[in-house]
Coordinates of all heavy atoms in Angstrom, one line a residue:
R268 N -10.4 69.9 14.5 CA -9.0 69.3 14.3 C -8.7 69.2 12.8 O -7.5 69.3 12.5 CB -9.0 68.0 15.0 CG -9.0 68.1 16.6 CD -8.6 66.7 17.2 NE -9.7 65.8 17.1 CZ -10.7 65.6 18.0 NH1 -10.7 66.5 19.0 NH2 -11.6 64.7 17.9
V269 N -9.7 68.9 12.0 CA -9.5 68.9 10.6 C -9.1 70.3 10.1 O -8.1 70.4 9.3 CB -10.7 68.4 9.8 CG1 -10.4 68.4 8.3 CG2 -11.0 66.9 10.2
R270 N -9.8 71.3 10.5 CA -9.5 72.7 10.1 C -8.1 73.1 10.5 O -7.4 73.8 9.8 CB -10.6 73.6 10.6 CG -10.4 75.0 10.1 CD -11.5 75.9 10.6 NE -12.8 75.5 10.1 CZ -13.4 75.9 9.0 NH1 -12.6 76.6 8.1 NH2 -14.5 75.5 8.6
S271 N -7.7 72.7 11.7 CA -6.4 73.1 12.2 C -5.3 72.3 11.6 O -4.1 72.8 11.6 CB -6.3 73.0 13.7 OG -6.4 71.6 14.1
G272 N -5.6 71.2 11.0 CA -4.6 70.3 10.4 C -4.1 69.2 11.3 O -3.3 68.4 10.9
D273 N -4.6 69.2 12.6 CA -4.2 68.1 13.5 C -4.7 66.8 12.9 O -4.0 65.7 13.1 CB -4.7 68.4 14.9 CG -4.1 69.6 15.5 OD1 -2.9 69.9 15.2 OD2 -4.7 70.1 16.4
T274 N -5.8 66.8 12.3 CA -6.4 65.6 11.6 C -6.3 65.9 10.1 O -6.8 66.9 9.7 CB -7.8 65.3 12.0 OG1 -7.8 65.0 13.4 CG2 -8.4 64.2 11.2
Q275 N -5.7 65.0 9.4 CA -5.6 65.2 7.9 C -6.7 64.6 7.1 O -7.0 65.2 6.1 CB -4.2 64.7 7.4 CG -3.9 65.1 6.0 CD -2.5 64.6 5.6 OE1 -1.8 63.9 6.3 NE2 -2.1 64.9 4.3
V276 N -7.3 63.6 7.6 CA -8.3 62.9 6.8 C -9.5 62.7 7.7 O -9.4 62.1 8.8 CB -7.8 61.5 6.3 CG1 -8.9 60.7 5.5 CG2 -6.6 61.6 5.4
V277 N -10.7 63.1 7.2 CA -11.9 62.9 7.9 C -12.8 62.0 7.0 O -13.0 62.3 5.8 CB -12.7 64.2 8.3 CG1 -13.0 65.0 7.0 CG2 -13.9 63.9 9.0
V278 N -13.3 60.9 7.6 CA -14.1 59.9 6.9 C -15.5 60.0 7.4 O -15.7 60.0 8.6 CB -13.5 58.5 7.0 CG1 -14.1 57.5 6.0 CG2 -12.0 58.5 6.8
N279 N -16.5 60.0 6.5 CA -17.9 60.1 7.0 C -18.8 59.3 6.1 O -18.5 58.9 5.0 CB -18.3 61.6 7.0 CG -18.7 62.1 5.6 OD1 -19.8 62.3 5.3 ND2 -17.7 62.3 4.8
C280 N -20.0 59.2 6.7 CA -21.1 58.5 5.9 C -22.3 59.3 6.0 O -22.8 59.6 7.1 CB -21.3 57.1 6.6 SG -22.8 56.3 6.0
Q281 N -22.8 59.9 4.8 CA -24.0 60.6 4.7 C -24.1 61.8 5.6 O -25.2 62.2 6.0 CB -25.2 59.6 5.1 CG -25.3 58.4 4.2 CD -25.9 58.7 2.9 OE1 -25.1 58.9 1.9 NE2 -27.2 58.7 2.7
L282 N -23.0 62.5 5.9 CA -23.1 63.6 6.8 C -22.5 64.9 6.2 O -23.1 66.0 6.4 CB -22.3 63.3 8.1 CG -22.4 64.3 9.2 CD1 -23.8 64.3 9.7 CD2 -21.5 63.9 10.4
L283 N -21.4 64.9 5.5 CA -20.8 66.1 5.1 C -21.1 66.4 3.6 O -20.3 67.2 3.0 CB -19.2 65.9 5.3 CG -18.8 65.7 6.7 CD1 -17.3 65.6 6.8 CD2 -19.2 66.8 7.6
T284 N -22.1 65.9 3.1 CA -22.4 66.2 1.7 C -23.1 67.6 1.5 O -23.0 68.1 0.4 CB -23.4 65.1 1.1 OG1 -24.6 65.1 2.0 CG2 -22.7 63.8 1.1
E285 N -23.8 68.1 2.5 CA -24.5 69.4 2.3 C -24.2 70.2 3.6 O -24.1 69.7 4.7 CB -26.0 69.2 2.2 CG -26.4 68.4 1.0 CD -27.9 68.0 1.0 OE1 -28.5 68.1 2.0 OE2 -28.4 67.8 -0.1
G286 N -24.1 71.5 3.4 CA -24.1 72.4 4.5 C -22.8 72.4 5.3 O -22.7 73.0 6.4
W287 N -21.7 71.9 4.7 CA -20.4 71.8 5.3 C -19.4 72.5 4.4 O -19.2 71.9 3.3 CB -20.0 70.4 5.7 CG -18.6 70.3 6.3 CD1 -18.2 70.8 7.5 CD2 -17.5 69.7 5.7 NE1 -16.8 70.6 7.6 CE2 -16.4 69.9 6.6 CE3 -17.3 69.0 4.5 CZ2 -15.1 69.3 6.3 CZ3 -16.0 68.5 4.3 CH2 -14.9 68.6 5.2
D288 N -18.7 73.5 4.8 CA -17.8 74.2 4.0 C -16.4 74.3 4.7 O -16.4 74.9 5.8 CB -18.2 75.6 3.6 CG -19.5 75.5 2.8 OD1 -19.6 74.6 1.9 OD2 -20.4 76.4 3.0
M289 N -15.4 73.7 4.2 CA -14.1 73.9 4.7 C -13.1 74.0 3.6 O -12.6 73.0 3.0 CB -13.7 72.6 5.6 CG -12.4 72.8 6.3 SD -12.0 71.4 7.5 CE -13.3 71.7 8.7
P290 N -12.8 75.2 3.2 CA -11.9 75.5 2.0 C -10.6 74.8 2.1 O -10.0 74.5 1.0 CB -11.8 77.0 2.0 CG -13.0 77.5 2.7 CD -13.2 76.5 3.8
E291 N -10.1 74.5 3.3 CA -8.8 73.8 3.4 C -8.8 72.4 2.8 O -7.7 71.9 2.5 CB -8.4 73.7 4.9 CG -8.1 75.1 5.5 CD -9.4 75.8 6.0 OE1 -10.5 75.2 5.8 OE2 -9.3 76.8 6.6
I292 N -9.9 71.8 2.6 CA -10.0 70.5 2.0 C -9.6 70.6 0.5 O -10.2 71.4 -0.2 CB -11.4 69.9 2.1 CG1 -11.8 69.7 3.6 CG2 -11.6 68.6 1.3 CD1 -11.0 68.6 4.3
S293 N -8.6 69.8 0.1 CA -8.2 69.9 -1.3 C -8.2 68.5 -1.9 O -7.7 68.3 -3.1 CB -6.8 70.5 -1.4 OG -5.8 69.8 -0.8
C294 N -8.7 67.5 -1.3 CA -8.8 66.2 -1.8 C -10.2 65.5 -1.4 O -10.5 65.6 -0.2 CB -7.7 65.3 -1.5 SG -7.8 63.5 -2.1
C295 N -10.9 65.0 -2.3 CA -12.1 64.3 -2.0 C -12.0 62.8 -2.5 O -11.7 62.6 -3.6 CB -13.3 65.0 -2.7 SG -14.9 64.1 -2.6
V296 N -12.2 61.9 -1.6 CA -12.2 60.5 -1.9 C -13.6 59.9 -2.0 O -14.3 60.0 -1.0 CB -11.3 59.7 -0.9 CG1 -11.3 58.2 -1.3 CG2 -9.9 60.2 -0.9
L297 N -14.0 59.4 -3.1 CA -15.3 58.8 -3.3 C -15.2 57.3 -3.1 O -14.8 56.6 -4.0 CB -15.9 59.2 -4.7 CG -15.9 60.7 -5.0 CD1 -16.5 60.9 -6.4 CD2 -16.7 61.5 -4.0
A298 N -15.5 56.9 -1.9 CA -15.3 55.4 -1.6 C -16.7 54.7 -1.7 O -16.8 53.6 -1.3 CB -14.8 55.2 -0.2
R299 N -17.6 55.4 -2.4 CA -18.9 54.8 -2.5 C -19.5 55.1 -3.9 O -19.4 56.2 -4.4 CB -19.9 55.3 -1.5 CG -20.1 56.9 -1.5 CD -21.4 57.3 -0.9 NE -22.5 56.7 -1.7 CZ -23.8 56.7 -1.4 NH1 -24.1 57.2 -0.2 NH2 -24.7 56.3 -2.2
P300 N -20.1 54.1 -4.6 CA -20.8 54.4 -5.8 C -22.1 55.1 -5.5 O -22.7 54.9 -4.4 CB -21.0 53.0 -6.4 CG -20.1 52.1 -5.7 CD -20.0 52.7 -4.3
T301 N -22.7 55.8 -6.5 CA -24.1 56.3 -6.3 C -24.7 56.4 -7.7 O -24.0 56.8 -8.7 CB -24.1 57.7 -5.6 OG1 -25.4 58.1 -5.5 CG2 -23.2 58.7 -6.3
K302 N -26.0 56.1 -7.7 CA -26.7 56.4 -9.0 C -27.2 57.8 -9.1 O -27.8 58.2 -10.1 CB -28.0 55.4 -9.0 CG -27.6 54.0 -9.1 CD -26.9 53.5 -10.3 CE -27.8 53.6 -11.5 NZ -27.1 53.1 -12.7
S303 N -27.0 58.6 -8.0 CA -27.5 59.9 -7.9 C -26.4 60.9 -8.4 O -25.4 61.1 -7.7 CB -27.9 60.3 -6.5 OG -28.1 61.7 -6.4
S304 N -26.6 61.5 -9.6 CA -25.6 62.5 -10.0 C -25.6 63.7 -9.1 O -24.5 64.4 -8.9 CB -25.9 62.9 -11.4 OG -27.1 63.5 -11.5
G305 N -26.7 64.0 -8.4 CA -26.7 65.1 -7.5 C -25.8 64.9 -6.3 O -25.1 65.7 -5.9

């Protein structure tokens, strides 16, 4: 639904940081601090 545009915002915790590619995403919201630059 995110890819099709039916859902505009997907919110996640510890899931979409690696192995997920969706070029249509053009905004990233960092709602969490981290000491890890990686």
Side-chain angles (χ1 to χ4, degrees):
R268 289 191 288 272
V269 177
R270 187 178 294 277
S271 69
D273 292 337
T274 295
Q275 189 176 1
V276 177
V277 59
V278 192
N279 80 106
C280 168
Q281 300 287 92
L282 189 61
L283 300 179
T284 54
E285 299 171 340
W287 176 67
D288 299 320
M289 188 175 291
E291 295 84 357
I292 295 293
S293 62
C294 176
C295 172
V296 178
L297 307 178
R299 58 154 298 168
T301 177
K302 298 294 289 184
S303 167
S304 59

